[in-house]
Amino acid sequence: PYTYQWASSPATGGAITDDKVQNTTATPSLAGSSFTYIVAAVDGRGCTSSAATDVVTVNIPPVATITYPADLCAAGIAVVNQTGTTGGTYSGTAGLSIDAATGTIDLQKSTAGAHSITYTFSDGQCTGTATASINIHGLPLIAAITGGPVVCEGQKITLNNVTAAGAWSCDNTTIATVDASGTVSGISAGTAIVTYTVTDNYGCTNTADINITVNALPKATITYGRAVYCYTGTADIVLTGTTGGTF
């Protein structure tokens, strides 16, 4: 029978799992260093033979980091902030819509909740991974707008939304304005979009819209032939503009 003795050169950093077996495992740990492993075999007569491995080089591992905002809303996209080794691939937990090449997340197509992202990269010698965690929050629920949607110039209508704590706005205040209570004032003829926006504690927003039509006021003028008449006969009127009214 033979007995075995393994050793590394240099000894520091060249860890050997079991140095007294025929086949063992080495776990060199000093990045950028090289090691030679030597084994001596001794038979029952005390005769010794030794052999050495090829030089084992410990490569410096590649390094990279990835970060995203921790809390995200389920709208738009999220872009990764990546440092270190480039050219890796991205993957995520089930339900996360992520571009494997760029790390960009489609938040609208992803499921709400906690997700983990892994970036796997290599320098051609060694492979590394970097991870990040995010939480996607669903958009706040919002009811439809009721009331309206037609108002005349110079007049008002009231819009309502049963979802609390929202804010009213109008995209064209030359056509119509809306105040904090949802009262719409017609300014000039045309169409405008009134929006009710709800924001939750994470800053996620959702909106409901309504198209408002502002109609021009009907116009008409009346004149008589003269300012003073005698108390006999009739006086003819001259009317221009909108007809069908009452006198």
Side-chain angles (χ1 to χ4, degrees):
Y2 292 89
T3 59
Y4 300 92
Q5 181 63 55
W6 285 90
S8 70
S9 177
T12 302
I16 299 170
T17 303
D18 187 342
D19 63 359
K20 299 188 184 304
V21 295
Q22 181 177 0
N23 298 306
T24 191
T25 301
T27 54
S29 59
L30 293 179
S33 299
S34 297
F35 297 89
T36 300
Y37 291 92
I38 304 161
V39 62
V42 181
D43 64 15
R45 295 171 296 176
C47 297
T48 301
S49 178
S50 62
T53 64
D54 291 334
V55 174
V56 176
T57 299
V58 182
N59 293 314
I60 298 173
V63 177
T65 64
I66 58 170
T67 56
Y68 295 85
D71 289 293
L72 297 161
C73 302
I77 62 172
V79 178
V80 66
N81 179 22
Q82 188 266 334
T83 64
T85 303
T86 59
T89 57
Y90 294 86
S91 60
T93 48
L96 189 70
S97 178
I98 186 169
D99 189 302
T102 66
T104 298
I105 298 170
D106 188 327
L107 297 167
Q108 187 170 354
K109 293 182 179 178
S110 299
T111 57
H115 292 279
S116 294
I117 301 98
T118 300
Y119 176 61
T120 303
F121 53 93
S122 174
D123 62 0
Q125 298 291 333
C126 300
T127 299
T129 59
T131 60
S133 297
I134 61 171
N135 198 356
I136 300 175
H137 301 279
L139 301 184
L141 298 177
I142 188 170
I145 296 172
T146 58
V150 178
V151 64
C152 292
E153 289 177 323
Q155 297 180 5
K156 299 179 185 291
I157 55 172
T158 299
L159 302 179
N160 298 284
N161 193 293
V162 297
T163 307
W168 294 96
S169 62
C170 182
D171 73 331
N172 191 340
T173 55
T174 65
I175 301 295
T177 61
V178 61
D179 65 16
S181 66
T183 299
V184 176
S185 299
I187 304 301
S188 62
T191 59
I193 299 173
V194 171
T195 301
Y196 186 71
T197 303
V198 175
T199 304
D200 66 14
N201 293 334
Y202 296 101
C204 300
T205 62
N206 202 357
T207 60
D209 297 330
I210 188 170
N211 292 320
I212 297 296
T213 299
V214 179
N215 291 324
L217 290 176
K219 295 180 180 180
T221 63
I222 57 171
T223 58
Y224 291 85
R226 55 187 179 178
V228 178
Y229 287 88
C230 296
Y231 192 62
T232 58
T234 62
D236 294 328
I237 189 172
V238 177
L239 179 144
T240 62
T242 303
T243 60
T246 59
F247 295 90

